[in-house]
Amino acid sequence: GAVAVNQIRAQWSKFQPSFQTASPLDPVVLVSFRNPVTNGVQTLIAGNSTTSTSSNFSDSRTETRFQIQDSLTYTWRNHTFKGGADVQRVVSKVLGLGDATGTFNFGSVIQFSNNQVTRYRQNFGTAQNVENTYYGAFFNDEFKPWSNVTISAGLRYERETAVSDNNNFGPRFGIAWDPFKKGKGVIRFGTGIFYNRVLLRTVGDSIQNSGGTLVSFDSNRIGTAATDPRRIPVLNAISAAFPNSYPSTTELRALVVAACATIVTTLPCNSNTGFTVGNLSSQGNPLRSVDSNLKIPESYQFNVGFEREVLKGWVFEANYTWNKTVHLWRDSNPNAPRLPSGFADWTSYLVANPFDLSPTRRYTFYLGTNTADGSGLSTVANPNPAVPTPCTTSTVNCFVNLNTINTSSTAPAIAVTGQNNNSTGGPIGIALAAIARFRPDQTVEETSRIGSRGNAFYQGLILEMRSRNRKLGAGFRGSFRVAYTLSSTQDDGLNNTSNAEINGDFNREFTRNLQDRRHRLAVTGSFETPYWFGRLRFSPLVRWGSPGRFNLGAGGTDRNLDDVSTDRLNFSGNLKDIKFRKPGSPVPDALIAQFSLQPIGAKSGNLPRNSGTGPSLFTFDLNVTREFKVAERYRFRPVIEFNNILNAAKFSYGSEFINFAALRSDGTAPTATQELARANFLVPTRTYRQREIRLGLRFDF
C-alpha cells in the first residue's frame, strides 16, 4: 500500500564434493623411485591425495543451507518504522581425508616389493559435523522532530546456536542536524554495537568435532632421535598386520606397544609412541576445545562528521571514526609444560636437570657459544671440543647445547640434525622430551583452546574534498574527489586462531597490525571528453599509502618450548633500522649482527610483534569507456580497465613472516642455502597486483 511495504526472501542450497577417485577411503601408498631420464627422485602415489583435508575445507564438505528473511517498512506521520527477522540453518559435514586412511611410505621400489615400510602416518577423528542456526531480529525508527533534524534509533538482537552466547543486543543511534537550515551543511553522529558471525571452520575444528578423539600417529615421531631403534620393529609390525588396510586407534596402539616390548625392556614405548597429538583413549579431552564462556566478537563504534558546501559545486567533508573490538577469538595451549617453582625459565631448569631417556642414555644440557659447536657430543670431560663427537645410538652421555642456531654440512649428522628447527632428534625435540612429564596431560602433547580474549582498536580521521560534475571548458566535463585518511589500527593477533609468543599472553602482542598504514591518500575523478576527442570517459584512481608493517620470527621454531612456533628474535639495535630491502640492495651485515636467537627454553625474544617497516603503497588504475546510442532505447558501452597501469611493483611479504633461519654459520664456509638466506634477508618474497587489462561490453535496452 501507500504507507507499508513488506519484503520476504527465502533460499535453499546444497553443496557437496565430487570425488575424482573410485574409492576415496583407500589407504595411500607412496613409493619413491629414481627417474632414469632426469636422474631425480620422484614419488609414485596410489590412493587418495594426502593433502585433501579439511584444511581446504571445501574438498570433503557437504553443506545444506536454508534461509528465510522478512522485513516490513511502515510510514506514519513523521516516522518511518522498519522491522524484520532473519533465520539461517546450516548443516555442514566434513571428513578430513589427510592421512585419515593410512599413508604407507616406501623408500624404493625394492622396499615396496619386499613390503618394507619406511614411514606410516594416520589421523583419527577427522570428521566434523557442524550444525548452526542463526536468528536475527531488528526494529528501527527514523523520524524528524524538526525540519532540520533527523534521528534514527534502533535495536538488533542476534543469536547463534553454535556457541552459548545469547545476550547479543546491538543498540543503534544516529542523528543528522543542519545548523544552517539551508541544505548546504550537516553534522552527523552515529554509534552502535555490532556483532561478528561464527566461523564454520573454527566451529568445526574446535567446538563440534564428531570424532570425539583427535589422534595423529607418525612413526617418525617415535623416540627422540632419527635412528631410534624402536622404529623399525614398529614399521615391520604395521607392514605385516595392515598391508592393504588401515587400523583403528585401538589396534594401532596395541600393535605399537607390543612391537616396542619385543626390543629391549629399557626402551619401552611410553610417551614416545608416535601418538603425539590427541587423547589415546576413547574418552577424554579432544585436541581442540573452546572456553566454556566463548563469546561472539563485538565492536563498539561511533562516528562524528561534518559536511559543508564551501564553494559553488565544491563540498568539504570530515569524519572521525572510533572502533573498539573485544572478545576476538584467540588460541592458546593449555597442555604446555608447567615450569616447576624455583626456576626463571626452562633454560635454567634444563641446565640443572639432565634428561635420562633410559638407563643407557643421558642428555646433559649446557649453554655453549652461539653456534652448533657441540650439540650431541659425547666427550664428558670437555663439553666443547674443537671437533665435536657425534652422539650415536650407543652413546651413553650426550651433550645438548641450548644456544645452538644452525648446522653446516660438516657438523655431526645425528643428534645435531635440525638444530634450528623442531625436529625430533634436534636440541628442541630433545628438550621437549625432557620436560614432557610437566604437562597437565602426559598422554597428549600440544592442545588448542579457543577463547574470547582478543582485542582490536581502530581510529581514523578522513578529510575529503569533492566537486560535482561540471564544465571544464573546451567541451570537457568532469568531477574530482580527494580523500586523506590519518588512522591507527592495532590488534593482538592476525586472525581468529592466532597464538601469542608467550602462551596465552596477548597483552604483550598488542601493537600496530599488518594492515596499518598511518597515512593514505586517494585521488579519483570522472572526465568526459568532447566529440573531437571521441566522447570518451576517463575514470582514474590514484592511491598512496605510507609504509606498512611486517613481522620477524625465529624461523618457525619453538625455542620457548610451548609447542607453538611463534617465537621471535632478540634484537640489540634500533627498531627503526628494521626496514624492508629492495631486491639486489646491499646486504645489511651490521644489522644482521644485531639479531640473535634466544636460548632454548627462554620465555621469549625481546623483539616486538610486527616491528619491521615495510614498503609504501602506490597504485594507479584507469577505466575508459564510450557510450553508443542505437535509437532511443538501446545503448552499447564498451569498457577497458587498466589495473596498475604503470605496472609498479607492489611488494608483499606473503604471510608477513620473515625467518631468521640460516643467517649465521657455525664458523665454516656458509652453504648456498645460508648465503641465499643472508642475501634475501628483509627482501619482500613476492609482488602482487601486476598490471591487468580487462575488456567488457555493456548493453542497455
Side-chain angles (χ1 to χ4, degrees):
V3 297
V5 175
N6 189 79
Q7 182 185 65
I8 185 170
R9 298 189 299 174
Q11 71 157 322
W12 179 90
S13 63
K14 186 170 185 178
F15 176 93
Q16 59 186 22
S18 176
F19 292 108
Q20 300 301 313
T21 180
S23 301
L25 300 182
D26 282 349
V28 179
V29 177
L30 307 177
V31 182
S32 298
F33 68 96
R34 185 170 295 278
N35 189 317
V37 177
T38 63
N39 198 32
V41 177
Q42 298 179 213
T43 301
L44 174 66
I45 302 176
N48 64 281
S49 172
T50 59
T51 61
S52 179
T53 71
S54 60
S55 63
N56 297 322
F57 199 57
S58 61
D59 289 11
S60 55
R61 174 171 58 101
T62 299
E63 179 184 285
T64 303
R65 179 185 298 268
F66 173 75
Q67 178 181 11
I68 184 169
Q69 189 179 79
D70 184 80
S71 63
L72 173 66
T73 302
Y74 186 83
T75 302
W76 178 72
R77 295 183 178 177
N78 61 342
H79 293 263
T80 300
F81 301 105
K82 190 170 184 178
D86 184 6
V87 179
Q88 296 185 47
R89 171 70 173 171
V90 177
V91 178
S92 180
K93 298 182 178 181
V94 178
L95 177 62
L97 297 178
D99 294 327
T101 59
T103 301
F104 297 84
N105 281 77
F106 297 91
S108 65
V109 176
I110 294 178
Q111 288 180 334
F112 175 69
S113 301
N114 296 332
N115 200 27
Q116 295 176 347
V117 180
T118 56
R119 185 182 184 185
Y120 180 78
R121 288 162 288 170
Q122 187 174 349
N123 293 325
F124 302 88
T126 62
Q128 300 174 6
N129 292 345
V130 179
E131 298 183 6
N132 184 42
T133 302
Y134 166 83
Y135 304 94
F138 75 95
F139 176 79
N140 189 79
D141 179 18
E142 182 178 295
F143 63 100
K144 295 177 69 66
W146 302 283
S147 61
N148 64 331
V149 176
T150 301
I151 297 176
S152 176
L155 179 68
R156 184 178 184 89
Y157 174 76
E158 296 176 295
R159 171 81 170 93
E160 299 197 51
T161 59
V163 297
S164 301
D165 182 12
N166 55 13
N167 61 346
N168 299 323
F169 292 93
R172 317 284 167 82
F173 177 79
I175 184 170
W177 172 44
D178 178 7
F180 309 103
K181 297 183 179 181
K182 295 181 179 180
K184 293 187 176 182
V186 63
I187 297 175
R188 299 186 182 92
F189 173 81
T191 185
I193 299 177
F194 303 86
Y195 294 89
N196 200 357
R197 295 295 307 275
V198 169
L199 300 176
L200 290 182
R201 171 70 191 278
T202 304
V203 169
D205 284 349
S206 306
I207 300 177
Q208 296 174 317
N209 184 277
S210 63
T213 303
L214 287 168
V215 180
S216 175
F217 174 82
D218 188 343
S219 62
N220 279 5
R221 297 193 186 110
I222 296 177
T224 58
T227 58
D228 196 287
R230 291 168 286 191
R231 295 186 182 179
I232 301 303
V234 170
L235 288 170
N236 290 339
I238 293 174
S239 178
F242 307 103
N244 298 307
S245 63
Y246 53 96
S248 66
T249 316
T250 303
E251 292 172 327
L252 184 57
R253 188 184 185 200
L255 183 148
V256 171
V257 172
C260 288
T262 62
I263 311 171
V264 183
T265 56
T266 57
L267 286 175
C269 274
N270 39 48
S271 62
N272 298 311
T273 58
F275 295 92
T276 58
V277 294
N279 195 295
L280 300 186
S281 63
S282 59
Q283 305 294 327
N285 296 324
L287 170 67
R288 299 179 67 88
S289 60
V290 299
D291 287 344
S292 58
N293 62 341
L294 186 71
K295 296 182 179 296
I296 294 177
E298 57 190 77
S299 295
Y300 312 116
Q301 304 180 20
F302 79 80
N303 174 275
V304 59
F306 171 74
E307 182 179 349
R308 170 73 173 173
E309 184 179 31
V310 292
L311 296 172
K312 185 176 181 180
W314 288 88
V315 176
F316 170 77
E317 184 174 352
N319 285 281
Y320 172 75
T321 300
W322 185 96
N323 185 338
K324 179 176 176 58
T325 303
V326 298
H327 304 321
L328 287 166
W329 292 4
R330 295 289 183 257
D331 204 349
S332 63
N333 176 17
N335 203 47
R338 309 289 175 86
L339 182 68
S341 60
F343 297 96
D345 52 27
W346 285 115
T347 306
S348 58
Y349 170 82
L350 291 170
V351 170
N353 294 273
F355 171 46
D356 291 321
L357 176 64
S358 69
T360 60
R361 172 62 63 84
R362 163 172 282 197
Y363 290 101
T364 300
F365 300 94
Y366 71 100
L367 287 169
T369 57
N370 206 22
T371 63
D373 61 350
S375 179
L377 57 89
S378 58
T379 305
V380 180
N382 181 10
N384 189 17
V387 181
T389 305
C391 176
T392 66
T393 56
S394 61
T395 304
V396 176
N397 293 294
C398 300
F399 290 81
V400 180
N401 182 5
L402 297 179
N403 260 344
T404 55
I405 289 184
N406 298 299
T407 64
S408 71
S409 58
T410 61
I414 300 177
V416 186
T417 301
Q419 300 211 27
N420 191 39
N421 59 35
N422 307 325
S423 61
T424 301
I428 292 177
I430 296 171
L432 283 170
I435 64 175
R437 63 191 182 93
F438 295 105
R439 296 182 183 276
D441 184 352
Q442 296 182 35
T443 65
V444 183
E445 290 193 358
E446 178 191 359
T447 59
S448 170
R449 179 170 295 168
I450 303 295
S452 303
R453 55 181 68 93
N455 295 275
F457 178 71
Y458 168 85
Q459 59 177 335
L461 174 66
I462 302 176
L463 305 177
E464 178 180 330
M465 180 72 79
R466 62 181 182 270
S467 72
R468 299 185 181 94
N469 190 287
R470 55 192 298 170
K471 295 180 179 180
L472 303 177
F476 288 89
R477 298 183 62 89
S479 61
F480 301 87
R481 178 180 179 268
V482 180
Y484 166 74
T485 303
L486 173 66
S487 64
S488 172
T489 308
Q490 298 173 289
D491 61 23
D492 53 20
L494 181 63
N495 53 44
N496 62 303
T497 56
S498 293
N499 294 90
E501 181 185 18
I502 298 178
N503 186 35
D505 186 1
F506 288 96
N507 290 332
R508 188 172 174 270
E509 303 293 293
F510 196 82
T511 187
R512 294 175 61 183
N513 72 11
L514 300 179
Q515 288 76 38
D516 181 65
R517 295 184 184 273
R518 191 57 49 86
H519 306 278
R520 296 175 186 265
L521 181 67
V523 180
T524 185
S526 179
F527 305 98
E528 301 173 15
T529 64
Y531 71 94
W532 52 268
F533 204 84
R535 296 190 184 277
L536 298 175
R537 174 180 292 179
F538 295 87
S539 300
L541 172 59
V542 179
R543 288 178 291 178
W544 173 85
S546 60
R549 314 301 297 173
F550 63 85
N551 195 34
L552 287 92
T557 59
D558 177 26
R559 299 184 73 87
N560 64 359
L561 306 180
D562 65 353
D563 301 317
V564 182
S565 301
T566 54
D567 298 31
R568 295 191 289 272
L569 310 169
N570 284 325
F571 182 64
S572 59
N574 189 336
L575 292 178
K576 294 182 179 180
D577 294 334
I578 306 178
K579 299 179 180 180
F580 89 104
R581 294 171 48 220
K582 293 184 178 180
S585 61
V587 177
D589 289 316
L591 179 66
I592 291 176
Q594 297 173 338
F595 289 97
S596 63
L597 288 172
Q598 60 183 3
I600 296 173
K603 290 183 178 180
S604 66
N606 65 5
L607 194 66
R609 174 173 166 261
N610 298 345
S611 54
T613 301
S616 58
L617 174 70
F618 175 81
T619 61
F620 177 23
D621 302 333
L622 179 64
N623 179 293
V624 183
T625 186
R626 168 72 156 87
E627 185 175 283
F628 296 90
K629 288 186 178 181
V630 180
E632 288 295 325
R633 301 177 58 186
Y634 303 99
R635 288 180 297 173
F636 291 93
R637 190 183 304 166
V639 60
I640 179 170
E641 295 181 356
F642 301 90
N643 289 333
N644 190 10
I645 189 172
L646 302 179
N647 204 28
K650 309 295 183 295
F651 292 115
S652 171
Y653 286 94
S655 62
E656 322 301 329
F657 195 82
I658 304 302
N659 288 337
F660 187 67
L663 288 185
R664 300 273 186 98
S665 68
D666 57 2
T668 61
T671 64
T673 301
Q674 290 174 325
E675 186 60 34
L676 181 63
R678 172 181 166 274
N680 290 332
F681 185 58
L682 299 181
V683 175
T685 57
R686 67 178 182 181
T687 60
Y688 65 103
R689 288 200 86 234
Q690 69 274 21
R691 178 168 53 214
E692 294 180 343
I693 302 176
R694 297 189 296 179
L695 304 177
L697 178 65
R698 179 184 176 94
F699 174 52
D700 294 317
F701 59 93

